[in-house]
Amino acid sequence: MNTFLDSFTFMGGHLGLLLGKAWSHLVLSAAAFVVALVIAAPLGIWLGHRRRGGFIAISVSNVGRALPSLALIAIFLGLLGIGFTNVLVALVIMAVPPILTNAYLAVEQVDPDLVRAARGMGLTPWQILFRIELPLALPVLFTGIRIAVVYVISSATLAAVAGGGGLGDIILNQVAYGLSGVIAAALWVAVLALVADALLGMVRKLLTPRGVRHLGNDGASSR
Amino acid sequence: MANQGQSAAEIVFDRATKVYRGAPAPAVDELSMTVPAGEICVLLGPSGSGKTTALTMVNRLVEPTSGDIRIDGVSVAEQDATGLRRRIGYVIQQIGLFPHMTIEENVATVPQVLGWKRDRIRDRVRELLDLVGLPPREYGGRYPAQLSGGQRQRVGIARALAADPPVMLMDEPFGALDPITREHMQDEFLRLHEQVRKTTLFVSHDMDEAVKMGDRIAIFREGGHLVQYDAPERILTAPADDFVARFIGADRGLKALTLRRVGDLPLEPADATPDTAPLAATETLHTALSALMTSGTDRLPVADGDGRLVGTVTLDLIRAEAGRPAPHEGEVA
C-alpha cells in the first residue's frame, strides 16, 4: 500500500519525465491507430458494402486476436530491427482486426431492404454508400475504433522492449525507477486509455444519426 | 393537385423472360402484355409465380434474359439504369424508409439526386405530404420510427411520387399492414390515383385486393406463366382455366358482386311505404345481398344520395345479375 502511495510522490517528483514519456506514448499510439484506420476502415466498409468477404474480415480478426503483441515485436526485431518502425508495425497489426471486423459488420448489418429501396429509386452505389450505409454504420464502426484505440494505448507499453519509447520505458525499468515509478507509469497508461475511450464514446454519440438514436438506446421507439 | 408534369406512360412486355442463373426453369416465361397509360394493373399469383420478377424487370433491378420491356415505346434496356429508376416510382412492402432521415428528407431523396433547386424540393415535398394526408408542419420533421405502419407507407408512396414519375411499381405495398389499415390505404391509393393517374404495376397475392385495385388483373401461375390478363369482372365471371378458377376461389360469384352497384340494376318500382331502412344506390350488390340476408326479407328499398326512394332491389334481381356474363374487355396481348 505504501508503494502505491509512493507512486503519487513519484508522479510529483518526475512530472516532466512522465509527461515526456506519455507524449511519445501517445504519438506512437496515434501513428499506429491512424495507419490501421486508413488500412482497415475502407477495406471493411468496401467488403460490407459488397456484402462479401465476411469470412476474411472475421478470420483476420480472430488471427489478430490470437497473436501476442510481444511475440509480434520479437518477430519484427529480426525483420525491422530495433526502434519506432518495428513497434509501429506490431501495433498496426493489432489495431487492424477490430477496426476491420467492425467496419465490415457495421455496413453489412444495414437493412438490405433499405439498400434495395435506394437502388430502386435510382441512387448510385456511391450515393447508397455515403447517404445510407455509412451514416447508419457509424455507431458500430466507432465501436471498433474504440476497441482499437484502447488496445493500442495499452499495448504500446511493450514498445520499450524494442526501443520504441513511451511509458513502457519506465514500467519495464524497475531497476532505475523503482516499484513506485513502475506503478505510477502503469496508472498513467490506464488513465490515457480510459480518457481516450471516454472521448471516443462522446464522439460516437454525436455521430449517431438522430433518427436512429432513440431506436435501441433508450427504448423510447414507437415501433 | 391535378395531373401535372409528366403524363402516364404505356408499359409493354414483349416476350420478356427471366431465367435465374442455375435455375432449372424460367422465373418469368415469355411474358407479353400491354398496360395502357394511366391504368392500375395488378400482377396476381401464388408465391413463385414470377410476379415480383416481372415487376423488377421494369426498373432493371432484374435484367431480362431475353425479350424486351418498353415504356412509352422506349426499351428499358437502352436506358441508363440509374436514370430509368429515377423516372419510376418504386414502393416495396418493407417500405424501406431511411431511418436516419426525417420524413421530409426521405421524400426529397430523388429530387435531391436529380439536382433540383432547394425551394422546388421543399415545395414539392410539402405538396406530396399534404397529398398523402400527412400535414408537413406536423410530420415533416419526424423520423420514420415515430410513425405508425400506415403512415410510413404513405411516406413511402409520397417518396415514390416525388419526381412525378410516369410509372409506379408497387410490390405488395400494403402486405405488412393490419387488415383495417390495409383497406384504408387501398382506398387512399385509389383516391390518389384518381388525381395523379400514374401507370401502376401492383403486385399482390390477394384476390380481393386485386379486384378492388386493378383496372386489369394479370394472373400468373408457377413457372412465370401469364394465364389470364383481363378486367377483374371478366376474370371473376369467365376464368380462363381451372387454375384461375381455383385461385380466385369458389366464392368468385360473390366477389363479382362487389364490382356492381345497386343503382345499376333495373330496379323494381319503389314501394309506397317501405318498412325497412333503405339501401344507398351506390352500395355494391355484395352489400345489398348481405343486407337482404340479415333483414330476412327478399326485397329492400333503395334510395339515392338525397335519401329519395328510387326503387326496390330483390333477391331475384341480384341472382339474375350475378348470372349475367361481364362485357368482354381485354385479353392476353
Side-chain angles (χ1 to χ4, degrees), chain B:
Chain B
M1 189 184 72
N3 188 1
Q4 28 78 305
Q6 295 168 283
S7 52
E10 179 186 74
I11 304 173
V12 176
F13 290 84
D14 184 2
R15 291 188 295 158
T17 300
K18 177 65 189 183
V19 187
Y20 286 107
R21 207 182 305 165
V28 173
D29 194 9
E30 302 244 326
L31 171 62
S32 290
M33 65 177 190
T34 299
V35 184
E39 288 201 354
I40 301 179
C41 169
V42 178
L43 311 181
L44 183 68
S47 316
S49 57
K51 41 196 200 306
T52 293
T53 301
L55 185 85
T56 42
M57 280 195 290
V58 177
N59 65 2
R60 292 185 57 190
L61 284 179
V62 171
E63 299 282 359
T65 313
S66 66
D68 195 13
I69 294 158
R70 290 185 294 272
I71 298 177
D72 251 358
V74 184
S75 166
V76 295
E78 288 164 13
Q79 304 181 45
D80 161 59
T82 302
L84 173 76
R85 290 173 190 152
R86 289 174 186 175
R87 293 189 296 274
I88 296 178
Y90 185 48
V91 181
I92 58 176
Q93 179 179 340
Q94 303 79 4
I95 308 176
L97 294 188
F98 306 131
H100 57 300
M101 298 184 190
T102 63
I103 301 312
E104 272 176 358
E105 288 164 350
N106 265 283
V107 177
T109 306
V110 176
Q112 262 173 11
V113 298
L114 284 172
W116 287 17
K117 292 234 161 58
R118 274 182 58 187
D119 288 356
R120 184 175 171 210
I121 294 179
R122 198 195 53 224
D123 292 348
R124 178 66 179 160
V125 167
R126 290 183 181 169
E127 177 186 17
L128 282 164
L129 288 178
D130 271 328
L131 187 70
V132 297
L134 296 171
R137 257 170 221 287
E138 195 178 336
Y139 290 95
R142 294 199 194 177
Y143 285 93
Q146 297 168 304
L147 302 189
S148 70
Q151 288 171 332
R152 274 184 234 164
Q153 194 52 289
R154 283 164 203 244
V155 178
I157 292 170
R159 187 174 67 173
L161 285 169
D164 199 24
V167 171
M168 291 276 281
L169 305 179
M170 307 181 77
D171 194 351
E172 301 204 29
F174 311 136
L177 304 175
D178 66 83
I180 294 173
T181 311
R182 185 186 314 150
E183 194 156 317
H184 188 62
M185 288 299 294
Q186 290 167 346
D187 294 336
E188 290 265 300
F189 184 74
L190 285 175
R191 177 186 61 78
L192 196 64
H193 186 258
E194 281 297 308
Q195 295 177 56
V196 297
R197 282 278 159 202
K198 307 292 180 193
T199 314
T200 304
L201 291 182
F202 188 112
V203 167
S204 178
H205 59 244
D206 175 2
M207 184 65 198
D208 293 320
E209 182 171 68
V211 168
K212 179 172 179 180
M213 305 300 290
D215 294 309
R216 285 156 194 262
I217 299 176
I219 298 196
F220 289 78
R221 203 175 59 201
E222 288 89 345
H225 300 286
L226 176 64
V227 280
Q228 188 169 7
Y229 179 48
D230 235 328
E233 186 144 337
R234 287 280 307 164
I235 286 187
L236 288 169
T237 55
D241 62 10
D242 282 352
F243 171 80
V244 177
R246 262 183 291 123
F247 189 79
I248 62 184
D251 63 340
R252 63 174 194 267
L254 280 177
K255 280 175 184 150
L257 292 181
T258 62
L259 293 169
R260 304 182 192 183
R261 310 266 161 205
V262 175
D264 299 335
L265 289 179
L267 295 174
E268 291 185 5
D271 299 335
T273 51
D275 45 7
T276 43
L279 273 171
T282 52
E283 289 290 3
T284 66
L285 293 193
H286 192 267
T287 310
L289 181 64
S290 172
L292 280 164
M293 295 283 133
T294 44
S295 72
T297 65
D298 58 2
R299 43 197 294 123
L300 281 175
V302 177
D304 64 12
D306 304 323
R308 263 181 313 123
L309 291 181
V310 292
T312 305
V313 64
T314 69
L315 268 182
D316 287 343
L317 271 176
I318 294 177
R319 192 180 300 129
E321 179 68 16
R324 193 176 60 83
H328 188 84
E329 281 185 29
E331 280 260 66
V332 175

